[in-house]
Amino acid sequence: MHSSEQIPHPVIRRLPKYLVHVQELREEGVEWASSQEIADALGLTSSTVRQDLSHMDLRGISKKGYETSQLEAVLRQILGADIMHHVVIIGAGHLGRALAEHGAFARRGFEICGLFDRDEDLIGKSFGNAEVMSIHELAEQAGKVKIDIGIIAVPSSAAQNVAEMLVEAGVKAILNLAYKHIQVPSNVTVVDARIMESLQELAYALGKKGKAVN
Amino acid sequence: MHSSEQIPHPVIRRLPKYLVHVQELREEGVEWASSQEIADALGLTSSTVRQDLSHMDLRGISKKGYETSQLEAVLRQILGADIMHHVVIIGAGHLGRALAEHGAFARRGFEICGLFDRDEDLIGKSFGNAEVMSIHELAEQAGKVKIDIGIIAVPSSAAQNVAEMLVEAGVKAILNLAYKHIQVPSNVTVVDARIMESLQELAYALGKKGKAVN
DNA sequence: TAGATTGTTAATCGATTAACAATC
DNA sequence: TAGATTGTTAATCGATTAACAATC
């Protein structure tokens, strides 16, 4: 109810899931959804859903649940989905290029406004709508457009160095795809997203139960 | 100490971070690391590090800390890093291709043994060491090699369908990169890894504090 | 020895779940 | 009206942190 309050981190991490689901429901023409229905679709409990939504400017109605249009609106507002964010990608290897060429970001409020690499041979080449620039041009580019988010897509050995360049350029939010923990000042937010770690988590699960089955 | 015990999920998610760090330390020739040193490097508390490591077959030594070679060994063992896992990627779009071409997986025990798509025009093309096969050949391929992990890298509208095909093929661990929650039987482990969600989490953080600064 | 650091227990903190009166 | 579903409080559960005796 009180959108000015601090929303707990586990709740924040669930909000994108709610948003995806409610958008699907709306495409199907569903106008109301109960906490139980949402919980079932997302693998949560109805209690968790009601608790989570109570942090938002939204009220459900007995017997009907939550209005999907209203729910989408508040989720979009909280997640800043209506604001265009300027994103730069550092590292034009396979992953960096794939992200630059991935159309879904722009549609969801994330505009790639720079793709950087230190490899001279890559500079000038285009991927998606982005042309590879020299990493040395990052500061210059930061002067032209305000960079909201920097994505680190370089080998782990270069990750800390790149993080420092981003901080230096005034970037306050970093998505770290490198397989290495980076150190940044406390006023900079870092979110880690590593496919390798997720695979290792699965490998652990397989070791625990999967292998026994086979 | 008791590797047979169930390790809590938050601990599991930190293990890959310990592994990366200890490998770095070993490369630097560091033979011992205290819980405090590890905590500082990874943004944790020394208490958390000691608690986490107490789940493993390992003993530290007063005044010295933990032996890095031993620590790496137990982490590798728990995370199954010494076993080669067979991985298939469903979806040969930008992301799927980038993963197939990314050399780091093989080096860490994940061998790409199949890249599938339903687009006829892509079938037969090669990315990395993988040749694109028809999605209809998945079941057949599963009969030839045991598939440990399936990576879903298709548009969200196809994700549930692909998940069911993987389950049908006997895959017990799924990495879901699609921006959609998938439903699977309880004996199948799913880990979500979505760059979009991570970006939205950053966007929220920017909305809370970043924007005020600028 | 003195001091640093572990392993572990207990305390704290926070998230999830249960329960239920209010309400549509 | 009767019944379904919310919003919210209280209970439970689990993770993190603090504390400290044991130990090298």
Side-chain angles (χ1 to χ4, degrees):
Chain A
M1 264 209 274
H2 314 281
S3 65
S4 55
E5 273 175 27
Q6 185 60 32
I7 301 178
H9 200 242
V11 179
I12 297 297
R13 285 203 311 265
R14 282 192 291 270
L15 296 188
K17 297 178 205 296
Y18 290 123
L19 179 56
V20 174
H21 183 61
V22 76
Q23 285 175 335
E24 262 179 45
L25 289 176
R26 291 198 69 201
E27 278 168 27
E28 293 165 14
V30 178
E31 289 179 13
W32 296 88
S34 72
S35 57
Q36 187 63 57
E37 286 163 348
I38 296 171
D40 290 344
L42 267 53
L44 306 169
T45 67
S46 67
S47 220
T48 299
V49 173
R50 290 200 301 281
Q51 284 278 23
D52 287 356
L53 300 190
S54 75
H55 293 283
M56 298 157 54
D57 266 315
L58 173 83
R59 292 202 68 94
I61 291 178
S62 298
K63 286 186 81 170
K64 296 184 103 174
Y66 303 87
E67 196 173 9
T68 53
S69 62
Q70 200 190 352
L71 182 52
E72 181 180 1
V74 294
L75 285 166
R76 289 183 72 93
Q77 189 265 316
I78 290 184
L79 291 172
D82 300 314
I83 299 166
M84 187 56 78
H85 293 90
H86 294 145
V87 178
V88 296
I89 299 170
I90 316 296
H94 293 304
L95 190 53
R97 285 181 225 171
L99 296 179
E101 290 173 332
H102 194 52
F105 295 119
R107 270 183 273 125
R108 293 192 174 269
F110 300 97
E111 188 198 347
I112 310 298
C113 63
L115 174 60
F116 298 85
D117 206 288
R118 69 174 176 193
D119 181 351
E120 296 288 337
D121 295 341
L122 282 172
I123 294 165
K125 291 191 178 167
S126 283
F127 299 100
N129 293 322
E131 188 177 313
V132 181
M133 288 180 269
S134 165
I135 184 69
H136 304 296
E137 290 176 61
L138 175 61
E140 195 186 324
Q141 182 74 355
K144 288 184 199 159
V145 289
K146 162 149 174 36
I147 301 172
D148 297 302
I149 297 172
I151 300 182
I152 299 181
V154 298
S156 56
S157 57
Q160 180 63 40
N161 195 246
V162 165
E164 283 160 20
M165 294 175 91
L166 286 168
V167 169
E168 185 68 25
V171 178
K172 292 283 183 293
I174 294 175
L175 178 65
N176 180 27
L177 304 178
Y179 193 53
K180 166 123 171 58
H181 181 80
I182 56 171
Q183 311 264 7
V184 297
S186 61
N187 66 332
V188 176
T189 305
V190 174
V191 168
D192 291 321
R194 302 195 190 97
I195 287 174
M196 188 66 78
E197 285 187 5
S198 302
L199 282 175
Q200 289 179 325
E201 196 181 326
L202 285 170
Y204 169 80
L206 283 173
K208 274 290 161 195
K209 54 169 195 176
K211 292 295 177 187
V213 178
N214 297 284
Chain B
M1 264 211 274
H2 314 280
S3 66
S4 56
E5 273 176 30
Q6 185 58 34
I7 301 178
H9 200 242
V11 179
I12 297 297
R13 284 201 313 265
R14 282 192 291 270
L15 296 189
K17 298 179 205 295
Y18 290 122
L19 179 56
V20 173
H21 183 60
V22 78
Q23 285 175 335
E24 262 179 44
L25 289 176
R26 292 199 69 199
E27 277 168 28
E28 293 165 15
V30 178
E31 289 178 13
W32 296 87
S34 72
S35 57
Q36 187 64 58
E37 285 164 349
I38 296 170
D40 290 346
L42 266 51
L44 306 169
T45 67
S46 67
S47 219
T48 299
V49 173
R50 290 200 302 281
Q51 285 277 23
D52 287 355
L53 299 191
S54 75
H55 293 281
M56 297 158 55
D57 265 315
L58 174 83
R59 293 201 69 93
I61 292 178
S62 299
K63 284 185 86 171
K64 297 185 103 175
Y66 302 87
E67 195 172 9
T68 54
S69 62
Q70 199 191 354
L71 182 52
E72 181 181 0
V74 292
L75 285 167
R76 289 182 72 92
Q77 190 264 316
I78 289 184
L79 291 172
D82 300 315
I83 299 167
M84 186 58 76
H85 293 89
H86 295 145
V87 178
V88 295
I89 300 170
I90 316 296
H94 294 304
L95 190 53
R97 287 181 224 170
L99 297 179
E101 290 172 334
H102 195 52
F105 295 119
R107 268 183 275 124
R108 292 191 174 270
F110 300 97
E111 186 199 346
I112 310 297
C113 63
L115 173 60
F116 297 86
D117 206 287
R118 69 173 177 195
D119 182 350
E120 295 289 336
D121 295 343
L122 283 172
I123 294 165
K125 291 191 177 166
S126 283
F127 299 100
N129 293 323
E131 186 176 315
V132 181
M133 287 180 269
S134 164
I135 183 70
H136 304 297
E137 291 176 61
L138 175 61
E140 195 186 325
Q141 182 74 355
K144 289 185 202 157
V145 288
K146 163 147 173 38
I147 302 173
D148 297 303
I149 297 173
I151 300 182
I152 298 181
V154 298
S156 55
S157 58
Q160 180 62 40
N161 196 245
V162 166
E164 285 160 18
M165 293 174 92
L166 286 168
V167 170
E168 184 68 26
V171 177
K172 292 284 184 291
I174 293 176
L175 177 65
N176 181 27
L177 304 176
Y179 194 52
K180 167 123 171 57
H181 180 79
I182 57 171
Q183 312 263 8
V184 298
S186 61
N187 66 331
V188 176
T189 306
V190 175
V191 169
D192 291 321
R194 301 195 189 96
I195 288 174
M196 189 66 77
E197 284 185 8
S198 302
L199 282 173
Q200 289 179 324
E201 196 181 327
L202 285 169
Y204 169 80
L206 284 171
K208 275 289 159 193
K209 56 170 194 179
K211 293 293 177 186
V213 179
N214 296 284

